[in-house]
Amino acid sequence: MKILLYDGSFEGLLTSIFEVFEYKFENAEIVAEQNFSTENLFAEQHQVFKNAEKSARVLAKIEQISGKETISILLRIFLSEHPHKERLILKSIKDILQNPGVDVFQNLADPDMLEISKILKSMRREIHRTHAFVRFERLKDNLYFAKIEPDFDVLPLIGNHFEKRYADQKWMIFDLKRHYGLIYDLENVDFFYPESSQIQNLKNPEQFHHEEENHFQKMWQNYFVKTGIPSRKNMKLHIQHVPKRYWKYLTEKQR
């Protein structure tokens, strides 16, 4: 068994996959350094250093054989943070190379492809819910700020949606679990990685609220209550569509 240790990035993983083929490793396992266990201490290790050229060659080959959508699928598997994402992505790429012209992800008789199908379904659901449940708060500098804490790392997959929907205002979305975010300045969407000293302020932005923000939040909360019909209240159905884990970030739930 050859264990390839990489830095945990998508580019690093693609570099690892390139080296699996480059060095003809027959029995290889790819492990992010932060997840390396001492149980594997006596396995033969191979340190992978992220390489933009190698990762780009992997992507180019996949696109040539299977198209851009396949790259999107592999990225979603990676962002799912599934404990076996490296093995699933490596298996997928091997299958793609061995079966050009075949949609390997449709082979649900393969347990790995079935697992990938489940992952993609979960990712689609989480992306949809993130689109629906983001609530922006207006800050003093007229930046609209939102906190999220999704089950999966969907932040890189939602920027286009919010750029199109809120193209005329500056906004920022911060992932509380992974401590990074997206910021839009009316021209571009970029990632930002705050210093540890800034994270507490991002978790509690109330002190930076615009003077009108609390007023509008109260108006929205009152509207939510007044438009409700008590006799038609179905909490079980409501929780099915709006799971409780999202409630702490929904303005209308903060009464």
Side-chain angles (χ1 to χ4, degrees):
M1 167 68 74
K2 178 79 71 172
I3 294 183
L4 287 80
L5 297 175
Y6 77 109
D7 64 353
S9 69
F10 187 56
E11 188 176 58
L13 175 57
L14 294 176
T15 303
S16 303
I17 291 171
F18 182 94
E19 294 189 1
V20 167
F21 291 97
E22 181 181 21
Y23 299 118
K24 298 181 171 61
F25 295 145
E26 294 295 332
N27 188 16
E29 180 182 357
I30 303 173
V31 180
E33 291 172 340
Q34 62 267 31
N35 297 328
F36 182 64
S37 170
T38 54
E39 295 177 4
N40 299 320
L41 195 59
F42 297 104
E44 190 176 357
Q45 298 172 30
H46 173 81
Q47 184 68 50
V48 176
F49 298 97
K50 182 170 61 178
N51 183 293
E53 180 182 355
K54 290 182 178 181
S55 64
R57 287 177 64 181
V58 173
L59 290 177
K61 188 66 174 180
I62 294 169
E63 182 176 349
Q64 177 189 348
I65 296 174
S66 194
K68 289 184 177 180
E69 178 58 27
T70 296
I71 295 174
S72 176
I73 289 172
L74 297 177
L75 178 60
R76 288 177 183 230
I77 297 169
F78 180 79
L79 294 173
S80 74
E81 302 171 329
H82 190 283
H84 304 300
K85 64 181 183 292
E86 291 92 354
R87 180 179 62 78
L88 293 172
I89 291 173
L90 176 59
K91 171 68 159 48
S92 298
I93 291 176
K94 284 182 175 180
D95 286 359
I96 290 166
L97 295 176
Q98 292 169 4
N99 302 279
V102 175
D103 186 353
V104 300
F105 299 110
Q106 294 301 314
N107 180 20
L108 301 185
D110 183 327
D112 288 332
M113 296 304 125
L114 180 60
E115 186 63 26
I116 287 172
S117 177
K118 293 177 182 177
I119 290 171
L120 296 176
K121 182 178 179 180
S122 296
M123 288 290 285
R124 285 193 296 269
R125 182 171 59 244
E126 191 73 350
I127 290 168
H128 174 73
R129 286 174 172 172
T130 304
H131 288 167
F133 300 144
V134 161
R135 295 291 184 270
F136 287 100
E137 305 169 65
R138 186 182 178 188
L139 305 184
K140 292 176 182 177
D141 58 359
N142 287 319
L143 178 76
Y144 287 84
F145 175 79
K147 298 174 290 187
I148 63 172
E149 199 170 1
D151 280 354
F152 313 113
D153 187 8
V154 298
L155 200 58
L157 305 175
I158 65 173
N160 287 341
H161 170 85
F162 287 100
E163 182 180 9
K164 291 175 182 177
R165 188 169 182 181
Y166 302 108
D168 61 343
Q169 60 193 44
K170 296 179 180 180
W171 51 259
M172 177 190 297
I173 303 174
F174 183 66
D175 187 330
L176 294 170
K177 183 184 293 186
R178 298 163 187 89
H179 293 171
Y180 81 107
L182 290 176
I183 187 166
Y184 174 66
D185 62 0
L186 300 180
E187 294 184 3
N188 300 296
V189 177
D190 292 307
F191 293 106
F192 74 94
Y193 302 88
E195 300 290 335
S196 56
S197 59
Q198 298 174 302
I199 291 174
Q200 193 59 39
N201 287 337
L202 293 168
K203 290 181 177 180
N204 300 284
E206 294 79 11
Q207 59 184 312
F208 304 108
H209 275 175
H210 188 278
E211 59 184 9
E212 295 180 345
E213 176 60 25
N214 292 335
H215 173 65
F216 282 114
Q217 285 193 16
K218 184 62 67 176
M219 287 178 62
W220 173 241
Q221 290 162 358
N222 289 336
Y223 171 81
F224 185 76
V225 172
K226 296 294 184 182
T227 56
I229 304 174
S231 62
R232 299 187 64 181
K233 189 174 182 179
N234 185 335
M235 187 55 66
K236 182 178 180 180
L237 181 63
H238 180 65
I239 291 173
Q240 180 181 335
H241 290 286
V242 189
K244 281 190 173 182
R245 63 188 174 90
Y246 297 99
W247 288 15
K248 58 185 173 181
Y249 304 120
L250 298 180
T251 305
E252 59 269 27
K253 294 291 188 182
Q254 304 310 307
R255 289 182 63 88

